[in-house]
Amino acid sequence: MGKAKSGKRATLASLGEQLGLSRQTISNVLNNPGVVSEETRSRVLAAIEASGYRPSAAARALRTKRSMMLALRLYPSGDGIEGALMDRFTHAVTEAAQAQGYRIALFCADDMGSEADTLVELHEEAQIDAAIISDTYPHDPRPGALWEAGLPFSAFGRQWERPDAPHSWVDVDGRAGVRAAVDHLVSAGHRRIGYLGPRVGGASEDRRLGCQEALAACVPPVIGDEELTSVDTPKAGAAAASILQERGATAVVCGSDAMAMGALSVFGHRDGHAPIVGFDDTPVARAMGLSSVAQPVEEAARLAVELALAAVAGEPSRRLLIQPELVVRRLEAFAR
Amino acid sequence: MGKAKSGKRATLASLGEQLGLSRQTISNVLNNPGVVSEETRSRVLAAIEASGYRPSAAARALRTKRSMMLALRLYPSGDGIEGALMDRFTHAVTEAAQAQGYRIALFCADDMGSEADTLVELHEEAQIDAAIISDTYPHDPRPGALWEAGLPFSAFGRQWERPDAPHSWVDVDGRAGVRAAVDHLVSAGHRRIGYLGPRVGGASEDRRLGCQEALAACVPPVIGDEELTSVDTPKAGAAAASILQERGATAVVCGSDAMAMGALSVFGHRDGHAPIVGFDDTPVARAMGLSSVAQPVEEAARLAVELALAAVAGEPSRRLLIQPELVVRRLEAFAR
DNA sequence: CCGCAGAGTTTGATCGATCAAATGCTGATC
DNA sequence: GATCAGCATTTGATCGATCAAACTCTGCGG
């Protein structure tokens, strides 16, 4: 390590003076090593090491007009069951950004409109180079607002009402995930399968369609009991699951783990296997031995960062659909 | 709203020229309104509004040597059961910082040592004004390293081996929380109460002591069955809880919700009440109808921000211990 | 009529880096 | 020996804000 020495911060100029060189040469050693002679370079590097010099982020940002920061909104963590998903995303985004030399600036907002406003403001203040938004829904105001403002960004979540929107996004093919869930239950012997999903959002509609498709494609034919949408809570899930059970369903595919939890309490486990499949593979599902469709959140985050940086670089936008994976689980011994 | 106009960003200088004033006057309107005449001020404000001017964060940071950023490490989210706690903290810190005009810069680190290194680096690059560290443990290397480096910071978690450490911290009085948990079980009629906690960390030792104290203070006397420490998982919790049960315990206080989950699977609910109390009041506890000691994480976060900013301002450090709250819960109907 | 206080405004310097272009130098070329 | 290429390094300007000090008025007391 190097460090200490005097009380003053080292700067390019101070290093240059100390070595009898100019600031620019020091700068070149760091940013453009090729143009500096072998000998000076090593001399400068030693001095840098010894002085503990670090380039000033502010000065660099001012000159280059790159803050090397991406903005990410932190959502009010819901009552927690689904919350973990976005936290995983946040984490993975941070990691992916860091790998590219970028940092994440967090902020809070009360609603989608003020999220977009804050992002535009951050961009105008040159605090951030780009933004990543997530959890898009039909007629989401954010993509349009950000695009208008000329802010480079990417979205985790497609633009539901307009799949050919001009901006970049990554999304998970929830429909395919639900199809896999249905196939799983069918091959486990179930012949009457219901679907249960949250009431709102493009994603849940997509998942519902996945269920229909899968049931329609079954040979021998499988009966799809009526689909129910409801509020996204265990309680509502339990209530709706009871209805499906009365109608003869023996298994249920759910659009969320929270509702799956409720459905699980109605249907229960049989031989350690639950006739329920949840969505998002949250910690609660893991703890309860519940099968669930897992979104590759980490991959999505990596791609979201990649797309955002591509947008900064002015590259054309891209739209990516990635595949989820069904995690089949049985009840762990401890949870009896 | 104002905006658009030309393609160029407005600056203090451009606004000044446009209005026939100097940059400094524009600056004063924003930062020192008192010295500007009433008339000029309103004229300038109108122009600012119309141009959509935003001060450049980089330029300001360069001059003032204040980035208005605080750093926070994002921990690798464990398997999720306890994870939510730190996420709540992150969220609350962001909100509290934002209320003071600060933003949070996130980063990842592999271990505590590299966390400290990264923080010092960020500080030397002038990317951040201060840092907030959390989840301290005995002989934590971070406080010392940051203090040495002259980085203003605060910690969520006391310095266990040295309560009079020179830096600021906030912590939750876990011992008192566990005492409340024991009292709760005693008043519910239990006479043989065991304690079950994770194996490591100053906090869990503190909680264990709280249990001893509470049992010792009981009249009529209550028998404290042997305490067990174990790995912090539901599985290990279940195993350890079985041992306590064999030894005659009818109730268990746990140092974490993960272990409490395991204990719950062994003891089960009786009339909707569980003879188990967990710690941290995580979503899983909520979902399972488990009583738990809740840490006032939001308050801690607010205080941590306050302490960090006080450190930036050069104010003397403070050490704060705040009180947790026992959340008594019964099994919700849906979870049967 | 001069000096002076004070409000309102401007000027110059600075923060620390990077870009773009200029300079000094060595050695090869004709 | 003058010219020129090309490397290594330096100089000047710039990014956009803020600090500190200087300046210009106007009005007032002596």
Side-chain angles (χ1 to χ4, degrees):
Chain A
M1 42 202 76
K3 179 154 309 182
K5 186 74 50 132
S6 73
K8 287 254 170 271
R9 262 179 114 282
T11 67
L12 287 186
S14 80
L15 279 174
E17 192 172 15
Q18 174 192 325
L19 293 174
L21 291 168
S22 70
R23 50 196 153 81
Q24 186 63 34
T25 300
I26 320 290
S27 170
N28 284 335
V29 168
L30 293 166
N31 304 315
N32 212 355
V35 310
V36 183
S37 82
E38 179 60 45
E39 188 226 332
T40 356
R41 176 170 36 179
S42 58
R43 208 157 58 92
V44 169
L45 283 175
I48 287 178
E49 181 74 10
S51 68
Y53 167 77
R54 305 256 183 232
S56 151
R60 176 174 282 176
L62 175 60
R63 191 59 173 96
T64 62
K65 297 180 181 308
R66 286 256 118 75
S67 62
M68 303 304 276
M69 287 248 161
L70 304 181
L72 196 60
R73 170 180 173 199
L74 210 50
Y75 291 81
S77 48
D79 66 344
I81 292 203
E82 304 292 327
L85 193 73
M86 285 316 299
D87 292 323
R88 274 172 59 203
F89 183 71
T90 303
H91 197 95
V93 163
T94 304
E95 207 142 6
Q98 189 159 320
Q100 313 274 326
Y102 277 76
R103 302 249 174 238
I104 298 299
L106 282 188
F107 69 100
C108 298
D110 294 330
D111 54 67
M112 299 299 174
S114 68
E115 175 179 354
D117 291 347
T118 305
L119 284 173
V120 170
E121 188 179 319
L122 283 171
H123 184 239
E124 287 175 346
E125 289 171 344
Q127 294 240 34
I128 57 167
D129 294 338
I132 294 176
I133 61 176
S134 48
D135 207 17
T136 58
Y137 56 93
H139 301 288
D140 194 319
R142 296 172 297 170
L146 300 185
W147 185 263
E148 280 298 307
L151 196 172
F153 74 103
S154 69
F156 176 28
R158 69 198 88 172
Q159 181 146 10
W160 292 98
E161 79 281 11
R162 194 149 75 89
D164 61 332
H167 65 276
S168 288
W169 52 255
V170 212
D171 204 353
V172 175
D173 192 350
R175 194 183 295 207
V178 170
R179 280 198 304 260
V182 171
D183 291 347
H184 165 67
L185 290 173
V186 168
S187 63
H190 291 280
R191 287 296 170 267
R192 297 184 68 100
I193 299 175
Y195 177 83
L196 192 53
R199 189 167 283 149
V200 290
S204 77
E205 174 64 7
D206 190 49
R207 293 172 194 175
R208 195 180 62 73
L209 289 174
C211 188
Q212 286 189 343
E213 287 173 11
L215 290 173
C218 280
V219 180
V222 169
I223 299 160
D225 290 278
E226 200 161 339
E227 293 140 355
L228 287 174
T229 57
S230 175
V231 184
D232 191 14
T233 65
K235 207 164 206 156
S242 298
I243 298 177
L244 286 175
Q245 192 176 43
E246 283 167 20
R247 293 186 185 156
T250 65
V252 179
V253 173
C254 297
S256 83
D257 273 358
M259 301 190 74
M261 283 286 298
L264 183 60
S265 73
V266 171
F267 282 78
H269 287 267
R270 188 188 304 164
D271 302 334
H273 289 279
I276 308 289
V277 179
F279 210 102
D280 282 350
D281 195 33
T282 59
V284 183
R286 271 195 288 275
M288 300 291 293
L290 180 73
S291 295
S292 193
V293 177
Q295 301 201 37
V297 176
E298 284 71 21
E299 186 188 354
R302 210 169 22 252
L303 291 170
V305 169
E306 189 181 320
L307 292 176
L309 295 186
V312 171
E315 295 169 24
S317 33
R318 282 179 290 159
R319 283 154 283 283
L320 310 172
L321 201 56
I322 60 181
Q323 295 303 312
E325 190 181 355
L326 175 67
V327 178
V328 176
R329 210 176 255 121
R330 33 174 303 138
L331 195 57
E332 297 250 354
F334 75 83
R336 196 161 323 172
Chain B
M1 28 207 83
K3 178 155 311 188
K5 185 81 38 142
S6 73
K8 286 253 170 270
R9 260 181 113 283
T11 68
L12 287 185
S14 79
L15 280 173
E17 192 173 15
Q18 174 192 326
L19 293 174
L21 290 168
S22 70
R23 51 198 151 84
Q24 185 64 31
T25 299
I26 320 290
S27 169
N28 284 335
V29 168
L30 293 166
N31 303 315
N32 213 355
V35 309
V36 183
S37 82
E38 179 57 46
E39 189 227 330
T40 339
R41 176 170 35 178
S42 58
R43 206 157 60 92
V44 169
L45 283 175
I48 286 178
E49 181 72 12
S51 68
Y53 167 78
R54 304 254 184 233
S56 150
R60 178 174 280 177
L62 176 59
R63 191 60 173 97
T64 64
K65 296 179 180 307
R66 286 254 119 68
S67 62
M68 303 305 276
M69 286 251 162
L70 303 182
L72 197 59
R73 171 181 171 198
L74 211 50
Y75 291 81
S77 48
D79 65 345
I81 293 205
E82 306 291 327
L85 193 72
M86 286 316 299
D87 292 324
R88 274 172 60 204
F89 183 71
T90 303
H91 196 94
V93 163
T94 304
E95 206 143 5
Q98 188 159 319
Q100 312 275 326
Y102 276 77
R103 304 249 173 239
I104 298 299
L106 282 188
F107 68 101
C108 297
D110 293 329
D111 55 67
M112 299 298 174
S114 68
E115 174 179 355
D117 290 348
T118 306
L119 284 173
V120 171
E121 187 179 320
L122 283 171
H123 184 238
E124 288 174 345
E125 288 171 346
Q127 294 241 33
I128 57 168
D129 294 337
I132 294 176
I133 61 176
S134 49
D135 208 18
T136 59
Y137 57 94
H139 302 287
D140 194 320
R142 296 171 296 168
L146 301 185
W147 186 263
E148 281 298 307
L151 196 171
F153 75 102
S154 69
F156 177 28
R158 69 199 88 172
Q159 182 145 11
W160 292 96
E161 79 281 13
R162 194 148 75 87
D164 62 332
H167 65 274
S168 288
W169 51 255
V170 213
D171 205 352
V172 175
D173 192 351
R175 193 185 295 207
V178 170
R179 280 198 304 260
V182 171
D183 292 347
H184 164 68
L185 292 173
V186 168
S187 63
H190 292 281
R191 288 297 169 265
R192 297 184 66 102
I193 300 174
Y195 177 83
L196 192 54
R199 190 168 280 149
V200 290
S204 78
E205 174 64 7
D206 190 50
R207 293 172 195 176
R208 195 180 61 74
L209 289 174
C211 187
Q212 286 188 343
E213 287 173 11
L215 291 173
C218 280
V219 180
V222 170
I223 300 161
D225 289 279
E226 201 161 337
E227 294 140 355
L228 286 175
T229 58
S230 177
V231 183
D232 191 14
T233 65
K235 208 164 206 159
S242 299
I243 297 177
L244 286 175
Q245 193 176 41
E246 283 167 20
R247 292 186 187 157
T250 64
V252 179
V253 173
C254 296
S256 84
D257 273 357
M259 300 190 76
M261 283 286 297
L264 183 60
S265 74
V266 170
F267 281 78
H269 287 266
R270 189 189 303 164
D271 302 332
H273 289 279
I276 308 289
V277 179
F279 209 102
D280 283 348
D281 194 34
T282 58
V284 183
R286 271 194 287 275
M288 300 290 294
L290 180 71
S291 296
S292 193
V293 177
Q295 301 201 38
V297 177
E298 283 71 21
E299 186 189 353
R302 210 168 24 250
L303 291 170
V305 169
E306 189 181 319
L307 292 176
L309 294 186
V312 171
E315 295 170 24
S317 33
R318 281 180 290 160
R319 283 155 283 283
L320 309 172
L321 200 57
I322 60 181
Q323 295 302 313
E325 190 181 357
L326 175 67
V327 178
V328 176
R329 206 174 260 124
R330 34 173 303 139
L331 196 56
E332 298 249 355
F334 75 84
R336 191 140 350 149

